[in-house]
Amino acid sequence: MKTLRSLFIMLLFSAIANELSAHAVWIETAAHGKIGQSQEVKVYFGEYGQDERDKVEKWYSDLKDLTLWLVGPDGTKTQLPTTIGENVSQASFTPQKDGIYSLQISHKSKDLHEGTQYEFLASSHVFVGKTTNQIDPASSNHELQVFPLEGTAWKTGAAVKVQVLHQKNAKSGSTVQVFSPSGWSRELTTAEDGTISFVPLWPGKYVLEASNFSKDPGEANGNQYKALWQGSTYSFEVKK
């Protein structure tokens, strides 16, 4: 009986870990904004590929207390106040100048799971006015980043090149999941320069997801952890 109970507990913990790894935090906002016009930002937790947005009451640990940051074109970093809805954490900001605005989330959960610390990372950009600038990875202090290269506008039928960085270095051999608004998804593995490429077939919001698992111990929120799992997403818009 004790053996069966131990096996049940082990399977339960394994199921929880798998569910957490499958779930992600992502940001949804319009890709383009205007000076003086309020820009709505929504943050979800769930599985974008299956169009599942979990109710906030089911969000893992203290994830509902996440902090949403806005980095302006001049590098100014501002915390955006958030409001909790049924299945969303939402905020807004009003662009005051042309340029690229970066929305960023980095949240290490308060609770550990079997000694593992979970860190949820998410980012997205808003392009205001006519800008030819490229997305600058240096604008983010995220340890794990995934983002599209070459441009600030993406169209159906044209290849999108994506890069994964870990500690500012290209991460080769990393799995990137690509989720489309149609429910189509694909897993790709990064090359030596940390890049993958895919051709979007449908217009709408796409979400990229990369993860990293490290057995290096550390400390966060006053807890000593034995391993660290990081999940990083990037959402962007594809037009016809």
Side-chain angles (χ1 to χ4, degrees):
M1 183 63 71
K2 288 184 177 180
T3 301
L4 288 175
R5 175 191 272 182
S6 298
L7 178 60
F8 173 77
I9 292 174
M10 181 179 69
L11 291 174
L12 178 61
F13 282 151
S14 177
I16 293 173
N18 289 335
E19 182 180 358
L20 283 174
S21 298
H23 275 52
V25 172
W26 73 90
I27 298 170
E28 292 190 14
T29 188
H32 298 276
K34 294 182 179 180
I35 293 176
Q37 182 173 304
S38 180
Q39 179 89 14
E40 187 177 49
V41 182
K42 294 183 177 181
V43 181
Y44 295 101
F45 177 66
E47 296 188 40
Y48 181 76
Q50 297 183 27
D51 197 27
E52 293 182 3
R53 294 163 173 78
D54 289 2
K55 291 184 177 181
V56 173
E57 62 189 34
K58 294 183 178 180
W59 286 18
Y60 178 66
S61 186
D62 63 340
L63 191 53
K64 66 180 179 61
D65 298 324
L66 57 78
T67 301
L68 177 62
W69 294 96
L70 174 71
V71 180
D74 59 357
T76 301
K77 189 174 182 179
T78 306
Q79 182 179 341
L80 298 180
T82 56
T83 302
I84 299 298
E86 182 181 15
N87 67 344
V88 64
S89 179
Q90 52 194 7
S92 65
F93 72 96
T94 302
Q96 299 298 325
K97 61 179 68 176
D98 287 346
I100 300 177
Y101 292 77
S102 177
L103 294 158
Q104 303 173 15
I105 294 169
S106 175
H107 183 87
K108 286 185 177 179
S109 59
K110 180 182 68 174
D111 301 306
L112 304 182
H113 174 67
E114 291 192 312
T116 297
Q117 173 73 64
Y118 284 83
E119 182 176 17
F120 298 92
L121 304 155
S123 60
S124 187
H125 287 90
V126 177
F127 307 100
V128 178
K130 294 182 178 180
T131 175
T132 57
N133 295 336
Q134 302 292 308
I135 292 174
D136 181 10
S139 66
S140 171
N141 60 359
H142 287 179
E143 190 170 278
L144 178 66
Q145 299 182 65
V146 56
F147 56 93
L149 297 169
E150 301 175 357
T152 59
W154 299 272
K155 294 183 178 181
T156 56
V160 177
K161 190 174 184 180
V162 173
Q163 187 172 43
V164 178
L165 299 178
H166 183 245
Q167 296 179 344
K168 305 299 182 182
N169 298 313
K171 185 172 173 57
S172 63
S174 178
T175 298
V176 177
Q177 292 183 295
V178 181
F179 301 104
S180 80
S182 70
W184 172 91
S185 64
R186 188 175 180 184
E187 285 191 0
L188 300 168
T189 303
T190 58
E192 288 188 8
D193 61 354
T195 66
I196 57 100
S197 181
F198 75 98
V199 177
L201 301 179
W202 301 273
K205 185 73 68 179
Y206 281 71
V207 174
L208 306 169
E209 183 178 355
S211 62
N212 181 66
F213 183 77
S214 170
K215 290 187 177 181
D216 293 333
E219 181 180 354
N221 300 319
N223 294 322
Q224 299 288 334
Y225 60 81
K226 299 177 182 178
L228 172 65
W229 177 89
Q230 296 169 305
S232 182
T233 65
Y234 183 89
S235 59
F236 66 106
E237 190 174 310
V238 173
K239 294 185 175 181
K240 289 185 178 181

